[in-house]
């Protein structure tokens, strides 16, 4: 793997892009703990090849995979600061809040995602799961059926 990092340093000099690439490679390989350091470094520098909101979202997802939900919320908020119109970031923030038992905040995040993209199956599915937790079976069925219809198309 050392050859890959040497290549990345040559490809993305003096930016956070090589750190982002290193973190993304680690994340995709399932090495979530190893992804966090490079992703944080990337976010502390200028990015040219990678979108800041995407790097911050991957960082948040890595924290979620490690059950570091407060850190995940912080990273997803950083992603929203870069792009408030990202429906997927709103869902990821909602998931992290749900896992922290901040159910009102999670529901607000899912609703925001659906305002931005009404046909986003993951948002309907996440909202359905939240309705199950809140013991709202009728609403859960509607959301989960909607998600299934969207996934099937």
């Amino acid at each position: 793997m050392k050859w890959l990092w040497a290549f990345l340093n040559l490809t993305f000099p003096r930016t956070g892009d090589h750190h982002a690439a290193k973190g993304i490679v680690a994340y995709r390989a399932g090495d979530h703990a190893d992804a966090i350091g490079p992703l944080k470094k990337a976010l502390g520098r200028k990015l040219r090849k990678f979108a800041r909101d995407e790097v911050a979202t991957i960082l948040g997802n890595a924290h979620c995979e490690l059950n570091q939900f407060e850190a995940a919320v912080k990273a997803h908020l950083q992603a929203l600061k870069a792009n408030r119109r990202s429906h997927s970031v709103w869902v990821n923030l909602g998931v992290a809040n749900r896992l922290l038992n901040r159910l009102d905040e999670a529901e607000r995040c899912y609703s925001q995602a659906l305002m931005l993209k009404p046909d986003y199956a993951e948002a309907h599915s996440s909202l359905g799961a939240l309705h199950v937790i809140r013991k709202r079976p009728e609403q859960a069925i509607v959301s989960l059926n909607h998600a299934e219809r969207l996934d099937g198309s």
Side-chain angles (χ1 to χ4, degrees):
M1 288 288 259
K2 286 188 179 196
W3 65 268
L4 176 61
W5 309 142
F7 170 75
L8 291 172
N9 283 326
L10 291 174
T11 306
F12 306 116
R14 296 195 179 124
T15 69
D17 292 308
H18 70 282
H19 294 292
K22 184 177 180 181
I24 291 167
V25 167
Y27 179 81
R28 289 184 179 157
D31 299 327
H32 303 115
D34 292 339
I36 290 173
L39 292 170
K40 284 183 177 180
K41 283 181 185 177
L43 290 169
R45 298 193 170 147
K46 183 175 182 176
L47 295 171
R48 292 189 181 142
K49 304 280 185 188
F50 294 94
R52 186 165 297 282
D53 62 314
E54 292 176 11
V55 174
T57 296
I58 294 168
L59 175 61
N61 291 344
H63 281 299
C64 253
E65 291 291 339
L66 297 169
N67 297 325
Q68 299 168 348
F69 305 123
E70 289 289 353
V73 166
K74 183 177 177 184
H76 291 309
L77 288 172
Q78 188 174 7
L80 284 176
K81 186 175 179 184
N83 181 5
R84 296 207 53 84
R85 300 203 45 82
S86 174
H87 58 280
S88 61
V89 174
W90 281 106
V91 170
N92 289 331
L93 179 59
V95 168
N97 276 303
R98 178 180 54 81
L99 293 168
L100 286 166
N101 204 35
R102 297 176 186 157
L103 303 184
D104 290 337
E105 186 62 22
E107 188 165 358
R108 188 183 75 74
C109 291
Y110 301 145
S111 296
Q112 183 65 35
L114 289 170
M115 284 183 5
L116 293 168
K117 188 172 181 184
D119 62 345
Y120 191 40
E122 189 174 340
H124 286 285
S125 178
S126 295
L127 185 57
L130 182 66
H131 288 316
V132 169
I133 292 167
R134 290 188 143 181
K135 300 185 184 342
R136 299 176 184 160
E138 295 84 12
Q139 291 172 294
I141 290 168
V142 169
S143 292
L144 294 171
N145 282 340
H146 198 123
E148 186 176 25
R149 278 192 304 277
L150 290 169
D151 263 350
S153 56

